[in-house]
């Protein structure tokens, strides 16, 4: 049976996801550990100007999301991000992009499991329970590792028994996850912000300047939190009405998340007082924002909003947040475990992974081997977190995983930016339920934004106290995706020419990180961030290189036709 016509097991995915299901799939991915830790981490880097980080980060992601809204609805296939690269730029580009997508998705469940352990430790500490230690200095203990593994196993089981179980759990969990942060915003706005409004100018609105406003976006959980917008695309093959619903779900997810996260940052800044045991800020002097995430970590670091509402005397809400500290990351863990399996499914379908990942369970109709692989990698990453080998410039294991996920994730976004103009040129008659106006401008902007986020994210992995080689290792691992091309059976003579820009882009980014302020500082960062300017100019060049190096028109048309056929035949 042809790969283009069905799964290798002959069992098809099931089209049963409605608009609300796609919206909740994205929202449950967005509202995870990012809302629990992101506000503190971002404030520790940018001070009160962290509010701008969420606004600018949201605008950046919205531009990228608009591009993907057209791409994802034109060819709604499972694991779409992996497959569009092959359609427009051949096997070599697709091998590297697909590898980066896999690295992104497969690391999220571990990050969310670490988050659960950390917030539980914060709750235990506040309530004076010292007999159990789940997390220490941002890293899970042996007991914490056990909790994280058990939680991962639970959601592996929920995903294993099928999309209906996932949909049911998502509806309940996401409803909770949307309500609780909203209640937190309202409560702190009423009780906290009027009391501590001076925090917004202590010692100034932007105590570390405005450059950290942008560099914080990939390093502190901003971009990580927004990444969930692509979930409806990855599950497009299971949407009832993909043309109508996917783009609406994407834009609804992005709009909701920008409003929610910006307000969470506002109330975090105005919701605590300095050097207070009640608020978990003992030893942190007024205006010393960086001390909020610097070892030895103050108690508030482990569960920021929990300590704030407890310090404000909102005891009932504190208990609810303790519960939410498990529910929110757990929902995201579950959703990404599902999406990762679909990404592996799509990668296998295009020939870059074993046929095993293309098999769908006969009874439960899920890509079972993708789920198993995701669970195995989650276990490995959790053990690494326990061993203390994951650390970033901002803090412990969660921050390190976030930087890795963001860097690989936004890199994979660049393919949407180049696929859109290529498909408009070579397949002008392709049905487009959502047609983006001024698509050339949006595509170029999305590409440049992605390039900057990759540069900032890789830099965060080499800045102290990170491993000084962490960012370079990550770029090398991303480049290693090219090795999967060696086993690719459908090689074309044009693959090398069409995919060379991807290799050059990653190498250039690694060199720029080394020469800029994150590395040896050869490129000055004052009076202007010259490395950023160089990156923007280079990104524009890479964009036009990519557009003009697409596979021949005949190949693009054939590949798009195969994609359309696959979108019809993989599901029922």
């Amino acid at each position: 049976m042809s790969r283009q016509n069905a799964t290798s097991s002959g069992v098809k995915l099931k089209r049963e996801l409605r608009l609300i299901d796609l919206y909740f799939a994205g929202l449950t991915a967005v509202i995870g550990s990012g809302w629990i830790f992101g506000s503190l981490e971002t404030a520790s880097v940018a001070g009160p100007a962290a509010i701008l980080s969420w606004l600018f980060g949201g605008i950046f992601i919205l531009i990228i999301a608009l591009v993907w809204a057209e791409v994802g609805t034109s060819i709604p296939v499972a694991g779409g991000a992996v497959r569009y690269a092959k359609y427009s730029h051949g096997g070599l580009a697709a091998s590297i992009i697909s590898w980066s997508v896999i690295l992104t998705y497969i690391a999220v469940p571990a990050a969310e499991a670490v988050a659960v352990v950390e917030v539980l430790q914060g709750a235990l500490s506040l309530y004076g329970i010292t007999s159990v230690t789940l997390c220490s200095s941002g890293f899970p203990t042996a007991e914490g590792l056990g909790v994280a593994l058990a939680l991962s196993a639970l959601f592996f089981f929920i995903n294993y028994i099928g999309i209906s179980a996932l949909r049911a759990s998502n509806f309940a969990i996401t409803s909770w996850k949307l309500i609780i942060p909203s209640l937190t915003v309202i409560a702190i706005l009423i009780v906290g912000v009027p009391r501590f409004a001076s925090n917004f100018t202590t010692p100034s609105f932007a105590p570390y300047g405005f450059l950290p406003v942008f560099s914080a976006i990939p390093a502190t959980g901003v971009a990580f939190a927004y990444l969930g917008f692509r979930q409806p695309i990855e599950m497009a093959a299971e949407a009832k009405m993909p043309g109508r619903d996917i783009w609406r779900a994407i834009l609804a997810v992005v709009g909701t998340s920008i409003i929610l996260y910006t307000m969470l940052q506002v109330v975090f800044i105005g919701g605590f007082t300095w050097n207070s045991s009640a608020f978990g800020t003992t030893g942190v002097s007024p205006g010393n924002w960086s001390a909020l995430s610097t070892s030895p970590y103050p108690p508030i670091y482990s569960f920021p909003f929990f300590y704030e509402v407890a310090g404000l005397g909102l005891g009932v809400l504190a208990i609810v947040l303790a519960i939410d500290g498990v529910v929110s990351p757990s929902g995201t863990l579950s959703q990404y475990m599902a999406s990762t399996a679909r990404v592996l499914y799509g990668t296998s379908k295009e020939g870059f992974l074993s046929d095993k990942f293309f098999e769908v369970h006969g009874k439960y109709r899920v890509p079972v081997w993708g789920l198993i692989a995701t669970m195995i990698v989650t276990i490995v990453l959790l053990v690494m977190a326990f061993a203390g080998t994951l650390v970033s410039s901002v803090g412990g294991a969660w921050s390190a995983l976030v930087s890795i996920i963001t860097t690989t994730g936004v890199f994979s976004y660049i393919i949407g930016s180049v696929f859109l103009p290529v498909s408009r040129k070579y397949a002008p008659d392709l049905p487009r339920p959502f047609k983006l106006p001024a698509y050339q401008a949006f595509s170029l902007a999305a590409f440049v934004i992605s390039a900057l986020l990759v540069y900032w994210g890789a830099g965060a992995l080499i800045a102290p106290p990170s491993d000084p080689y962490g960012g370079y290792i990550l770029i090398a691992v991303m480049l290693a995706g090219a090795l999967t091309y060696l086993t690719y059976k459908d090689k074309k003579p044009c693959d090398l020419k069409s995919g060379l820009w991807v290799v050059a882009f990653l190498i250039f980014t690694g060199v720029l990180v080394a020469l800029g302020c994150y590395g040896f500082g050869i490129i000055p960062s004052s009076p202007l961030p010259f490395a950023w300017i160089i990156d923007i100019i280079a990104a524009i060049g890479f964009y036009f290189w990519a557009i003009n190096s697409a596979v021949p028109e005949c190949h693009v048309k054939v590949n798009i036709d195969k994609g359309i056929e696959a979108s019809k035949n993989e599901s029922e």
Side-chain angles (χ1 to χ4, degrees):
M1 183 171 291
S2 169
R3 281 189 172 202
Q4 294 298 334
N5 292 326
T7 67
S8 64
S9 59
V11 181
K12 297 183 179 183
L13 297 170
K14 194 172 183 180
R15 285 199 182 276
E16 59 177 316
L17 297 182
R18 304 158 297 166
L19 172 60
I20 189 66
D21 299 318
L22 294 168
Y23 172 63
F24 273 24
L27 206 59
T28 199
V30 165
I31 308 174
S33 57
W35 101 263
I36 296 173
F37 299 118
S39 296
L40 180 144
E41 299 278 16
T42 310
S44 73
V45 170
I51 297 168
L52 300 180
S53 297
W54 290 97
L55 284 172
F56 283 122
I59 293 169
F60 289 169
I61 295 299
L62 178 60
I63 291 171
I64 295 171
L66 285 168
V67 171
W68 279 92
E70 176 171 330
V71 171
T73 53
S74 300
I75 311 175
V77 289
V82 172
R83 300 160 84 169
Y84 304 134
K86 179 187 172 183
Y87 296 164
S88 63
H89 285 82
L92 178 60
S95 66
I96 299 173
I97 295 293
S98 65
W99 185 243
S100 295
V101 174
I102 290 169
L103 292 173
T104 301
Y105 278 70
I106 211 162
V108 173
E112 300 303 321
V114 168
V116 171
V117 169
E118 194 164 326
V119 298
L120 285 176
Q121 180 59 50
L124 291 174
S125 299
L126 184 64
Y127 290 120
I129 301 173
T130 59
S131 57
V132 178
T133 302
L134 300 178
C135 191
S136 178
S137 299
F139 300 96
T141 62
E143 294 91 339
L145 176 62
V147 171
L149 290 174
L151 190 67
S152 302
L154 171 63
F155 284 101
F156 167 83
F157 174 74
I158 289 175
N159 277 275
Y160 186 86
I161 61 176
I163 192 70
S164 296
L166 175 64
R167 185 179 68 182
S169 65
N170 265 359
F171 189 86
I173 290 174
T174 307
S175 299
W176 168 278
K177 290 170 68 172
L178 185 58
I179 291 169
I180 302 308
S182 301
L183 285 177
T184 303
V185 168
I186 294 169
I188 299 178
L189 271 177
I190 295 172
V191 180
V193 173
R195 291 171 57 185
F196 307 122
S198 61
N199 285 354
F200 292 97
T201 53
T202 303
S204 65
F205 180 70
Y208 308 117
F210 282 96
L211 295 187
V213 168
F214 297 97
S215 59
I217 292 172
T220 64
V222 177
F224 169 75
Y226 288 135
L227 286 180
F229 84 84
R230 210 165 63 182
Q231 298 301 307
I233 296 171
E234 304 302 352
M235 308 191 79
E238 291 151 284
K240 274 187 175 181
M241 302 183 69
R244 187 197 69 179
D245 292 344
I246 291 175
W247 69 269
R248 294 178 179 179
I250 291 171
L251 298 185
V253 169
V254 174
T256 302
S257 58
I258 291 174
I259 295 170
L260 179 62
Y261 274 110
T262 302
M263 290 309 301
L264 283 167
Q265 187 65 70
V266 169
V267 299
F268 172 77
I269 291 170
F272 72 93
T273 190
W274 304 92
N275 195 21
S276 166
S277 59
F279 286 87
T281 56
T282 303
V284 181
S285 58
N288 189 7
W289 294 95
S290 62
L292 292 173
S293 66
T294 303
S295 183
Y297 301 110
I300 194 174
Y301 175 81
S302 63
F303 202 167
F305 287 106
F306 177 73
Y307 272 91
E308 284 200 345
V309 298
L312 291 169
L314 305 173
V316 174
L317 182 56
I319 294 172
V320 172
L321 286 184
I323 298 170
D324 183 74
V326 175
V327 173
S328 284
S330 296
T332 305
L333 186 163
S334 177
Q335 178 58 46
Y336 270 94
M337 195 167 277
S339 293
T340 304
R342 274 75 179 171
V343 166
L344 293 170
Y345 171 96
T347 307
S348 172
K349 182 173 178 61
E350 297 307 323
F352 297 105
L353 288 176
S354 165
D355 288 356
K356 277 290 184 183
F357 293 105
F358 192 51
E359 292 182 7
V360 173
H361 193 284
K363 179 179 179 181
Y364 298 122
R365 313 281 282 274
V366 295
V368 63
W369 288 103
L371 279 175
I372 293 171
T374 304
M375 184 64 192
I376 292 171
V377 173
T378 299
I379 292 170
V380 171
L381 290 173
L382 288 174
V383 171
M384 290 176 65
F386 164 69
T389 57
L390 295 173
V391 62
S392 79
S393 60
V394 178
W398 183 83
S399 300
L401 286 165
V402 163
S403 290
I404 292 169
I405 292 162
T406 301
T407 304
T408 56
V410 296
F411 170 68
S412 71
Y413 285 162
I414 65 174
I415 198 59
S417 308
V418 296
F419 178 81
L420 175 54
V422 169
S423 69
R424 284 283 192 106
K425 179 180 179 180
Y426 292 144
D429 297 327
L430 178 67
R432 301 174 191 274
F434 175 80
K435 197 167 186 178
L436 181 65
Y439 72 92
Q440 296 101 329
F442 276 104
S443 296
L444 175 58
F447 191 100
V448 171
I449 289 167
S450 297
L452 283 170
L453 290 173
V454 171
Y455 169 70
W456 294 330
L461 287 169
I462 65 171
S466 306
D467 181 336
Y469 305 106
Y472 309 126
I473 292 171
L474 179 60
I475 290 174
V477 170
M478 292 162 71
L479 279 168
L483 296 177
T484 63
Y485 179 69
L486 299 178
T487 61
Y488 180 53
K489 297 177 182 178
D490 192 23
K491 295 183 179 72
K492 298 286 193 304
C494 60
D495 283 349
L496 181 60
K497 174 180 176 292
S498 297
L500 188 60
W501 68 271
V502 181
V503 177
F505 175 89
L506 285 173
I507 293 174
F508 170 81
T509 301
V511 171
L512 189 63
V513 168
L515 297 179
C517 60
Y518 294 112
F520 299 108
I522 295 173
I523 299 175
S525 57
S526 179
L528 295 171
F530 290 104
W532 298 14
I533 296 171
I534 292 171
D535 199 31
I536 291 171
I537 295 171
I540 295 172
F542 278 114
Y543 172 78
F544 286 105
W545 179 5
I547 296 301
N548 291 301
S549 64
V551 298
E553 180 178 355
C554 60
H555 290 327
V556 174
K557 289 182 176 179
V558 169
N559 290 338
I560 288 177
D561 287 343
K562 288 181 178 179
I564 294 172
E565 182 185 356
S567 71
K568 296 176 181 177
N569 294 329
E570 290 175 5
S571 310
E572 61 182 9

